[in-house]
Amino acid sequence: MGKVSMDYLIIVIPIIGLVVNVCVQLLSFRCIRSVALLKSVYLGFTIGYICLLTMVFYWCVSSRNDYFYIVTNSVIYTSLGYCYFNFICLGQTGRRIRILDELSNESNGLTLDALLERYNARDVIDNRINRLLNNGQIICRQGKYFIGKPMVLNMSKLILMLKLLIQGKKSEFDR
Amino acid sequence: MYLHVCFFYVSVVLVYIVTYPAIEVDSPSLVIIMSVAHARADGLAKDKLYTLLTNDVLVKPRVDDLIFEDMLTLDGDRLRITKKGSMFIRIFVMYRKIMNLNQSNG
């Protein structure tokens, strides 16, 4: 294979990895009952990454830039996988998506009160609490919630740090 | 090599673009988990969350965002979805059909 075509091939490897990731995620979620949404995302990502590494090792084994391609392709693939994961999360948990969803079937639109009857703060809290409970991130004892696994708490702390660093405030409601 | 570096840069920028809304807007899960963490050994009751996180905090600002982004219009007292909003939501509805999922939980 010529050098130019080899260069292009190396660039498209992360794209091929992403395609494998999406296909595995979709197929595993649709066809295997025991695979939940989050598990299917992990599975797709892992298999896509194995494909990526196989392709990089296969095509770049004779190249002097082996490590460069392994590192850059891994970062590109992880970035694209992260974007795909966010796309799935946005579609399933985004408040703006849910509001648009409620209004998309109403040709005459809805008043704010009617919208709030269908989707309101209580729904948001209940849905989030259920998800956090199911993932073990919080636990419920005698009607009160406590921190379970610390993963989401650590992520929240990181996001708060980024908020302070980028926006100079902890909340969108702070001045 | 240069093309590869460009691709690398674009992918990292994409991560920043995707992450930015989480930084810009308060995620309800983040607020809930931080509130539970602050309650420590006393624990946090759901009612406390209901009083802390109202429609004014969780839903109305997102409706305002959608109006600002031209995805919704306020026609008198009625909120209507715009063409841009319809096209945007169609992507997610289509994907949900492929995945065989129900409506978004929000």
Side-chain angles (χ1 to χ4, degrees):
Chain A
M1 201 179 292
K3 190 183 179 312
V4 175
S5 56
M6 177 72 103
D7 284 348
Y8 283 115
L9 185 70
I10 289 165
I11 288 167
V12 297
I13 284 175
I15 306 278
I16 298 171
L18 180 71
V19 172
V20 171
N21 176 347
V22 173
C23 291
V24 170
Q25 189 271 322
L26 280 172
L27 285 172
S28 62
F29 183 71
R30 283 205 59 146
C31 303
I32 308 170
R33 266 197 181 178
S34 60
V35 176
L37 187 60
L38 196 61
K39 252 189 196 171
S40 71
V41 173
Y42 292 148
L43 187 69
F45 182 85
T46 308
I47 292 178
Y49 192 54
I50 291 168
C51 285
L52 175 130
L53 288 179
T54 310
M55 283 185 279
V56 173
F57 280 118
Y58 184 77
W59 277 303
C60 307
V61 78
S62 57
S63 164
R64 281 184 301 153
N65 296 320
D66 279 2
Y67 290 107
F68 171 80
Y69 288 125
I70 291 168
V71 172
T72 52
N73 277 339
S74 294
V75 173
I76 294 168
Y77 172 74
T78 306
S79 303
L80 296 175
Y82 174 78
C83 292
Y84 178 60
F85 172 66
N86 269 274
F87 170 73
I88 295 174
C89 287
L90 188 67
Q92 281 309 104
T93 65
R95 283 170 289 167
R96 280 177 271 208
I97 299 299
R98 175 65 190 266
I99 293 165
L100 286 174
D101 228 353
E102 291 293 344
L103 285 158
S104 64
N105 299 321
E106 299 295 330
S107 53
N108 285 325
L110 288 171
T111 62
L112 184 61
D113 288 338
L115 175 69
L116 290 174
E117 266 175 37
R118 294 182 183 195
Y119 180 60
N120 53 49
R122 275 186 173 245
D123 297 328
V124 179
I125 294 167
D126 292 345
N127 290 337
R128 306 283 164 144
I129 292 261
N130 286 339
R131 271 201 292 271
L132 290 168
L133 280 171
N134 288 339
N135 296 329
Q137 301 299 321
I138 57 171
I139 47 174
C140 185
R141 258 187 268 133
Q142 293 166 338
K144 288 195 170 183
Y145 298 106
F146 301 86
I147 294 293
K149 294 175 193 164
M151 197 179 85
V152 174
L153 178 63
N154 291 335
M155 272 164 53
S156 302
K157 284 178 181 168
L158 181 72
I159 291 171
L160 276 181
M161 258 172 51
L162 288 171
K163 270 176 184 277
L164 272 173
L165 195 74
I166 295 169
Q167 295 199 307
K169 55 186 186 181
K170 275 187 174 179
S171 163
E172 64 179 301
F173 300 103
D174 289 347
R175 296 216 167 188
Chain B
M1 174 83 95
Y2 291 118
L3 205 59
H4 207 93
V5 172
C6 286
F7 202 34
F8 179 90
Y9 173 75
V10 169
S11 65
V12 174
V13 168
L14 270 175
V15 166
Y16 182 69
I17 292 170
V18 165
T19 308
Y20 192 77
I23 296 164
E24 188 188 23
V25 159
D26 293 350
S27 152
S29 301
L30 183 148
V31 178
I32 290 169
I33 210 96
M34 290 311 284
S35 305
V36 172
H38 282 136
R40 291 172 190 258
D42 294 335
L44 190 77
K46 206 186 233 182
D47 287 341
K48 188 98 186 262
L49 285 171
Y50 287 148
T51 52
L52 188 75
L53 301 169
T54 59
N55 285 326
D56 290 335
V57 175
L58 292 182
V59 184
K60 288 178 186 172
R62 301 293 76 84
V63 172
D64 292 339
D65 287 347
L66 289 168
I67 293 170
F68 181 76
E69 288 159 8
D70 289 328
M71 296 213 192
L72 291 183
T73 52
L74 192 56
D75 188 6
D77 66 341
R78 297 189 88 81
L79 290 160
R80 286 178 214 277
I81 194 164
T82 62
K83 209 171 181 180
K84 186 180 168 185
S86 283
M87 280 168 67
F88 185 69
I89 194 67
R90 219 170 283 164
I91 299 166
F92 292 95
V93 171
M94 202 175 75
Y95 189 76
R96 231 179 276 146
K97 269 187 192 160
I98 296 170
M99 296 268 287
N100 210 12
L101 284 166
N102 300 323
Q103 191 193 33
S104 125
N105 288 325

